[in-house]
Amino acid sequence: MKNIAEFRIIGRVGKTEILDKVAYINIAANYGRKVSGQWDDDTHWNRVTVFGKAIERVAKLGRGDLIHVAGRVRQTSYERQGATTYGVDLIAEAFAVLAKFGRPAEDDQQDD
């Protein structure tokens, strides 16, 4: 049996950063929680890493677009000044635009 670590996020695009061979998407996902007896949105920001041909599609994303992203989780660690720093990377394997901010999504916006 294959061991896996994967994620799935449906949320709104905050900002994108496109570099030479990698792109990053900041995605806001909201969860409900009770505060003083009232339900409130608790927003969590997720930074997703995108490689390959999907980088071109990231360039077309706009702030507020609703997207669905699925991929794998990769743990990282590095040493700096004698201290080990740990992190988690969310690597996109597929994403689809569910709705453009203020207009419907195009049909060809899904990667496999």
Side-chain angles (χ1 to χ4, degrees):
M1 177 178 208
K2 183 178 176 181
N3 298 321
I4 60 172
E6 62 185 8
F7 73 92
R8 183 172 313 277
I9 300 170
I10 296 174
R12 300 241 176 229
V13 174
K15 77 172 189 175
T16 59
E17 180 183 1
I18 299 173
L19 304 175
D20 187 32
K21 296 183 180 186
V22 65
Y24 300 101
I25 310 169
N26 288 337
I27 305 169
N30 296 324
Y31 301 90
R33 67 180 179 128
K34 262 192 174 174
V35 178
S36 301
Q38 298 286 333
W39 283 101
D40 196 14
D41 278 341
D42 189 15
T43 303
H44 293 267
W45 286 95
N46 303 275
R47 185 176 194 224
V48 176
T49 305
V50 180
F51 295 106
K53 295 178 182 178
I55 293 173
E56 296 172 11
R57 293 188 42 236
V58 171
K60 297 176 183 177
L61 293 175
R63 185 179 176 133
D65 290 352
L66 182 65
I67 63 174
H68 175 236
V69 182
R72 60 189 168 90
V73 178
R74 179 177 66 188
Q75 293 183 340
T76 60
S77 66
Y78 61 91
E79 298 240 355
R80 180 180 291 164
Q81 300 175 349
T84 303
T85 301
Y86 297 94
V88 174
D89 291 332
L90 302 175
I91 315 272
E93 293 182 342
F95 78 90
V97 177
L98 302 177
K100 295 296 242 176
F101 188 63
R103 60 194 185 284
E106 299 173 18
D107 290 336
D108 64 345
Q109 290 293 311
Q110 182 152 348
D111 268 354
D112 292 329

